[in-house]
């Protein structure tokens, strides 16, 4: 077995095929050996029946031999390549599968046969396929062959909404013969098979031409591997002291990155990230491939810390759904925009059950929080001007103003009849999470309006200042909503998210009271991302070992051997559960480091549990500068790797570290490590006049 933590290896495949490794590249997603795959933005079905359209996969092929063999299966996350190796006395046969990281319309299968002993006999292996050129979601017909490739094309059966379009799908692929033979005079031989999936004939043919050209020049696999190498050079999260934690973090980063487009993609056609990723999400499974708050709150922050371009793709997805969000608000009788609880392509609500779309309105604030996080990391105003991000921010603010109700009794604005993130409750008033995220999104709207010299309605600030934030003075904690009875069960992280990611100011005593109130009553079989939020809370309070015990609960959701996550600890629920991975990753990236992305700085307050001796976080991207962090028990080392202008701004920012305890200011110079005792502090611009501190 491989000792490299980036290579997941086994001799036997998991008995549950749901835990076979997904291979995706932000446009195409597939679980190895499955005869079904998916393409981003291709859905079938109207409204609540909308789901990712099943696309037949010609690469659903298993390699078999006549003689006894030893099997090895490995997923190399360095390169995103899954390999099945069959070893016998006479031959080593390897089948490699990958979704091309650079050329997103391409998927590839390669077979290599290597003779082990000199022989006059040919060696034949079988390619056993379960592929049929049919789909229950797409009406396919056979097209003319193209340069030796088979071709089918079709349209989805039903549009997402009445009058909407049904996307077209073209597949062109290299025909796969039932056998491959190593001739007597050959010591080895290699075969390559490509599959192209595209929305137009022109794009399909161009991609197939590209694939053929890359094969002819020997650049098909190298160009894919280069793209993954480039991604990994920009991010690394590794720990010393726990092999299982290190491997889990690598798996989380790999699968999350697989769900995002290439950093070179200029198509702006990214279709968002659903809880099960692109490989899953067909009719009736894995939330139908819809996009939830999971993308903006759970998956996004860990990616945005390293990749501003991928972060922007998430925001652009939301901008692209504004028309549908306006329609949702109007149908509810409100102004502005209302993002759907479940989104596909149009931004209209596609949740199968009306109550979630009607009441789980915190999604609006969750989306705004992602925009705010991006702006504080990048200072990229172009996203809000030319990129129309301001339309999102202002539209959400207008929605809140029209959605609140003024109560003269307490002289506060209330949000009535909502469902909090904790979905065990509905039709409640003043969800503390919902009201807080509404308050902050209104404040950010005022901030953006000021920056863009846009006249902000006075109601934005007024509602932000006077919206009710439920608080129990006697127990000194935040009840989940009006009338919540302390000790009643909750489904998942809800109120504990006030401290992180929302950043509501509160004393350490109140933060602790919230954690102690909700931790024992949270469903132990609830969704996987929950415990990461509790862990972050305890790390804020200096309780590293308590945090670690909670984080270890997540390991029950990791299904071996390929580090695939299930939504629930018993293996049930959505697979591959990117939401859980996002929460787990944040517990390390924002918990152990104490990173907080604030208006004027990147604050930090590191704390490692006893069994972790070192945490390496490489490629943190702040104001266009890339930094590597090495956290040890008693010290922090920062290396400014590259300094450049932030997105939308060519001017480089001179950065400095400011230590909280002493007020010491340490300038950061590219290539020169700065080491100092572990202490909370912040990184900010050298000319910054105000500093921020965590917690």
């Amino acid at each position: 077995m491989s000792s490299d933590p980036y290579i997941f290896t086994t001799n036997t495949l998991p008995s549950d095929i749901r835990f076979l490794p997904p291979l995706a590249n932000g446009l195409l997603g597939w679980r190895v050996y499955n005869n079904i795959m998916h393409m981003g933005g291709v859905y079938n079905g109207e409204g609540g029946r909308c789901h990712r359209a099943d696309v037949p996969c010609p690469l659903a092929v298993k390699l078999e031999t006549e003689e006894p063999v030893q099997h090895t299966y490995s997923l190399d996350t360095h390169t995103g390549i899954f390999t099945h190796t069959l070893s016998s006395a006479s031959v080593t046969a390897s089948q490699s599968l990958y979704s091309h990281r650079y050329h997103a319309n391409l998927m590839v299968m390669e077979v290599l046969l290597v003779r082990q002993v000199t022989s006059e006999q040919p060696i034949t292996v079988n390619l056993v396929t379960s592929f049929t050129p049919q789909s229950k979601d797409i009406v396919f017909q056979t097209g003319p062959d193209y340069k030796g490739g088979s071709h089918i094309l079709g349209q989805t059966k039903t549009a997402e909404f009445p009058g909407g379009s049904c996307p077209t799908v073209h597949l062109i692929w290299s025909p796969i013969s039932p056998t491959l033979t190593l001739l007597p005079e050959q010591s080895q031989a290699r075969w390559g098979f490509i599959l192209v999936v595209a929305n137009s004939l022109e794009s399909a043919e161009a991609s197939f031409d590209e694939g053929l050209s890359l094969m002819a020049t020997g650049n098909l696999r190298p160009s894919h591997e280069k793209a993954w190498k480039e991604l990994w050079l920009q991010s690394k999260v590794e720990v010393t002291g726990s092999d299982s934690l290190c491997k889990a973090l690598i798996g989380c980063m790999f699968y999350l990155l697989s769900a995002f487009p290439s950093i070179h993609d200029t198509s702006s056609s990214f279709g968002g990230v659903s809880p099960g990723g692109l490989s899953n999400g067909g009719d009736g499974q894995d939330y139908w491939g819809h996009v939830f708050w999971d993308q903006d709150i759970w998956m996004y922050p860990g990616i945005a810390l390293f990749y501003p371009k991928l972060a922007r793709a998430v925001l652009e997805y939301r901008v692209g759904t504004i028309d549908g969000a306006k329609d949702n608000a109007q149908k509810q009788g409100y102004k502005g925009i209302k993002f759907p609880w479940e989104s596909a392509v149009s931004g209209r609500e596609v949740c199968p059950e009306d109550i979630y779309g009607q009441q789980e309105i915190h999604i609006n604030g969750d989306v705004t929080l992602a925009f705010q996080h991006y702006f504080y990391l990048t200072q990229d105003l172009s996203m809000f001007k030319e990129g129309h991000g301001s339309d999102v921010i202002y539209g959400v603010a207008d929605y809140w103003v029209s959605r609140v109700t003024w109560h003269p009794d307490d002289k506060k604005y209330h949000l009535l009849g909502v469902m909090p993130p904790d979905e065990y409750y509905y039709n409640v008033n003043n969800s503390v999470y919902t009201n807080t995220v509404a308050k902050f999104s209104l404040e950010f709207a005022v901030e953006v309006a000021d920056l863009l010299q846009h006249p902000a309605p006075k109601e934005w600030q007024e509602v932000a200042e006077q919206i009710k934030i439920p608080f129990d003075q006697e127990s000194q904690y935040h009840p989940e909503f009006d009338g919540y009875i302390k000790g009643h069960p909750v489904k998942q992280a809800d109120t504990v998210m006030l401290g992180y990611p929302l950043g509501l100011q509160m004393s350490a005593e109140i933060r602790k009271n919230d954690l102690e109130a909700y931790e024992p009553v949270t469903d132990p079989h609830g969704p996987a991302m929950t415990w990461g939020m509790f862990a972050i809370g305890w790390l804020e309070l200096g309780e590293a070992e308590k945090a670690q015990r909670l984080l270890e609960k997540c390991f029950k959701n990791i299904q071996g051997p390929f580090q695939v996550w299930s939504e629930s600890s018993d293996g049930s629920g959505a697979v591959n559960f990117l939401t859980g991975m996002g929460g787990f990753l944040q517990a390390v990236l924002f918990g152990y480091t104490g990173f907080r992305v604030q208006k004027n700085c990147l604050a930090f307050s590191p704390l490692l549990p006893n069994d972790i001796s070192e945490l390496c976080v490489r490629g943190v991207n702040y104001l266009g500068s890339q930094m590597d962090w090495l956290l040890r028990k008693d010290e922090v080392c920062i290396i400014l790797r590259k300094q450049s202008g932030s997105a939308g701004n060519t001017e480089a920012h001179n950065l400095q570290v400011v230590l909280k305890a002493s007020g010491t200011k340490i300038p950061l110079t590219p290539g020169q490590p700065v080491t100092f005792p572990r202490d909370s502090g912040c990184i900010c611009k050298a000319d910054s006049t105000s500093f921020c501190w965590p917690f």
Side-chain angles (χ1 to χ4, degrees):
M1 296 297 171
S2 172
S3 59
D4 184 339
Y6 283 79
I7 301 177
F8 308 152
T9 303
T10 180
N11 292 331
T12 54
L13 292 175
S15 56
D16 189 333
I17 61 170
R18 296 180 308 144
F19 303 134
L20 287 168
L23 300 175
N25 60 14
L27 179 69
L28 304 179
W30 179 55
R31 192 177 67 235
V32 298
Y33 302 135
N34 197 356
N35 57 10
I36 288 167
M37 58 181 291
H38 299 111
M39 183 180 190
V42 179
Y43 291 86
N44 181 46
E46 182 182 327
R49 295 201 57 80
C50 169
H51 57 273
R52 286 205 190 281
D54 286 354
V55 178
C57 184
L59 301 187
V61 173
K62 289 191 175 179
L63 194 62
E64 296 181 359
T65 62
E66 301 296 337
E67 58 184 323
V69 292
Q70 285 187 316
H71 296 271
T72 307
Y73 305 90
S74 70
L75 176 65
D76 185 342
T77 64
H78 290 293
T79 60
I81 297 175
F82 174 82
T83 302
H84 173 206
T85 303
L86 303 85
S87 302
S88 71
S90 61
V91 69
T92 299
S94 299
Q95 175 194 25
S96 296
L97 300 159
Y98 52 96
S99 295
H100 205 285
R101 183 68 236 184
Y102 189 91
H103 300 284
N105 296 90
L106 270 177
M107 287 177 58
V108 182
M109 179 176 76
E110 297 169 343
V111 178
L112 173 65
L113 300 183
V114 179
R115 194 182 290 277
Q116 296 301 308
V117 293
T118 304
S119 168
E120 297 295 319
Q121 298 299 316
I123 297 174
T124 297
V125 296
N126 300 319
L127 301 181
V128 181
T129 180
S130 58
F131 166 71
T132 56
Q134 297 166 338
S135 165
K136 59 184 175 59
D137 295 313
I138 301 170
V139 180
F140 278 110
Q141 64 187 68
T142 303
D145 287 359
Y146 181 73
K147 295 188 178 178
S150 302
H151 175 209
I152 59 173
L153 65 153
Q155 268 188 307
T156 57
K157 295 179 179 179
T158 311
E160 184 184 325
F161 62 95
S165 60
C166 290
T168 300
V169 179
H170 288 260
L171 275 71
I172 303 176
W173 69 96
S174 315
I176 298 171
S177 60
T179 61
L180 298 174
T181 299
L182 188 61
L183 300 174
E185 65 273 15
Q186 293 178 305
S187 60
Q188 67 175 48
R190 190 186 302 270
W191 293 263
F193 304 89
I194 57 173
L195 161 67
V196 163
V197 187
N199 290 127
S200 71
L201 179 60
E202 182 184 22
S203 174
E205 290 180 347
S207 295
F208 198 73
D209 289 344
E210 185 70 46
L212 292 176
S213 174
L214 288 166
M215 277 207 295
T217 58
N219 271 326
L220 187 59
R221 185 189 285 226
S223 60
H224 165 78
E225 292 182 345
K226 181 185 176 185
W228 264 111
K229 184 178 181 181
E230 190 177 12
L231 268 185
W232 284 122
L233 281 172
Q234 291 190 37
S235 70
K236 182 168 82 170
V237 187
E238 293 178 2
V239 297
T240 303
S242 170
D243 292 343
S244 58
L245 177 57
C246 193
K247 203 165 190 173
L249 290 170
I250 290 166
C252 289
M253 282 298 295
F254 170 74
Y255 287 124
L256 282 166
L257 284 171
S258 297
F260 283 81
S262 163
I263 53 176
H264 301 288
D265 180 48
T266 56
S267 67
S268 299
S269 60
F270 178 53
V273 188
S274 55
L278 270 168
S279 305
N280 304 297
D283 193 9
Q285 49 132 244
D286 302 314
Y287 298 108
W288 291 263
H290 297 163
V291 178
F292 294 71
W293 75 314
D294 304 47
Q295 169 189 260
D296 311 84
I297 289 291
W298 296 101
M299 307 168 199
Y300 169 87
I303 296 299
L305 195 61
F306 302 103
Y307 303 97
K309 183 161 186 183
L310 299 186
R312 183 163 172 150
V314 167
L315 309 187
E316 289 170 346
Y317 166 75
R318 291 298 188 184
V319 169
T321 63
I322 280 181
D323 287 346
K326 286 178 181 175
D327 186 66
N328 298 334
Q330 288 168 5
K331 283 178 177 170
Q332 289 188 3
Y334 301 113
K335 295 178 181 176
I337 61 177
K338 160 62 175 68
F339 284 105
W341 179 240
E342 300 188 27
S343 178
V345 175
S346 73
R348 290 165 175 79
E349 184 63 66
V350 291
C351 182
E353 298 177 64
D354 289 343
I355 191 169
Y356 296 96
Q358 290 290 330
Q359 296 194 9
E360 207 153 355
I361 60 174
H362 64 81
I363 178 70
N364 258 15
D366 303 329
V367 170
T368 295
L369 198 65
F371 277 81
Q372 182 177 343
H373 188 265
Y374 174 80
F375 181 63
Y376 290 172
L377 272 174
T378 66
Q379 294 293 302
D380 178 13
L381 261 180
S382 73
M383 179 65 235
F384 297 85
K385 292 191 289 190
E386 297 88 346
H388 300 287
S390 59
D391 294 346
V392 168
I393 305 306
Y394 301 159
V396 167
D398 288 340
Y399 176 83
W400 291 129
V401 168
S402 69
R403 182 66 171 77
V404 294
T405 303
W406 174 255
H407 273 236
D409 296 349
D410 59 1
K411 294 185 170 54
K412 295 287 184 184
Y413 287 101
H414 291 205
L415 282 170
L416 308 177
V418 305
M419 180 184 289
D422 171 14
E423 294 169 331
Y424 284 171
Y425 303 94
Y426 57 91
N427 210 32
V428 302
N429 299 331
N430 296 313
S431 148
V432 69
Y433 177 93
T434 306
N435 287 25
T436 301
V437 84
K439 172 186 176 71
F440 290 159
S441 56
L442 283 161
E443 290 174 349
F444 186 57
V446 173
E447 182 183 337
V448 171
D450 184 53
L451 286 167
L452 300 183
Q453 299 181 320
H454 172 83
K458 67 180 190 308
E459 291 85 1
W460 292 357
Q461 187 67 45
E462 184 183 307
V463 173
E465 288 175 355
Q466 297 183 73
I467 194 167
K468 179 180 180 180
I469 306 298
F471 184 70
D472 185 322
Q473 289 288 350
E474 184 178 339
S475 298
Q476 287 291 294
Y477 94 115
H478 292 95
E480 194 174 270
F481 50 83
D482 285 355
Y484 172 76
I485 299 171
K486 194 175 182 182
H488 275 207
V490 300
K491 178 186 176 185
Q492 63 187 64
D494 184 313
T495 308
V496 296
M497 296 174 72
L498 297 181
Y500 176 87
L502 299 194
L504 181 68
Q505 291 298 305
M506 67 183 82
S507 68
E509 176 196 6
I510 293 170
R511 183 72 160 127
K512 183 178 182 182
N513 290 345
D514 283 351
L515 291 165
E516 289 183 335
Y518 293 103
E519 185 184 315
V521 298
T522 299
D523 189 338
H525 302 296
M529 66 279 190
T530 286
W531 303 114
M533 292 301 108
F534 280 100
I536 289 174
W538 287 117
L539 285 162
E540 285 181 7
L541 298 173
E543 299 272 5
E545 302 314 310
K546 190 174 283 190
Q548 193 67 359
R549 285 197 297 274
L550 287 166
L551 201 58
E552 285 170 359
K553 289 188 177 188
C554 296
F555 284 96
K556 293 179 181 176
N557 298 76
I558 303 175
Q559 310 297 333
F562 299 111
Q563 302 290 306
V564 170
W565 280 59
S566 58
E567 182 174 10
S568 300
S569 55
D570 62 2
S572 64
V575 176
N576 184 24
F577 194 49
L578 299 176
T579 312
M581 295 186 205
F584 185 79
L585 192 61
Q586 286 187 63
V588 173
L589 283 178
F590 296 90
Y592 290 167
T593 64
F595 285 155
R596 294 295 181 272
V597 180
Q598 299 185 356
K599 184 175 181 179
N600 296 308
C601 70
L602 176 63
F604 60 88
S605 184
L607 182 64
L608 298 180
N610 288 332
D611 59 345
I612 303 299
S613 59
E614 195 172 272
L615 168 64
C616 174
V617 182
R618 183 174 70 193
V620 172
N621 203 307
Y622 180 60
L623 301 182
S625 296
Q626 286 187 325
M627 293 173 282
D628 298 343
W629 292 67
L630 191 63
L631 310 178
R632 300 189 181 95
K633 290 295 182 187
D634 301 313
E635 68 177 16
V636 179
C637 177
I638 303 176
I639 302 172
L640 184 60
R641 196 197 312 177
K642 187 176 74 171
Q643 194 165 34
S644 60
S646 54
N649 184 358
T650 56
E651 180 187 352
H653 297 289
N654 292 319
L655 300 181
Q656 63 182 355
V657 177
V658 184
L659 300 180
K660 183 177 183 180
S662 61
T664 303
K665 298 179 181 180
I666 308 169
L668 289 174
T669 304
Q672 295 185 12
V674 173
T675 302
F676 46 87
R678 184 182 69 81
D679 195 355
S680 59
C682 72
I683 289 180
C684 59
K685 292 182 284 186
D687 57 357
S688 181
T689 55
S690 60
F691 305 129
C692 335
W693 307 106
F695 329 137

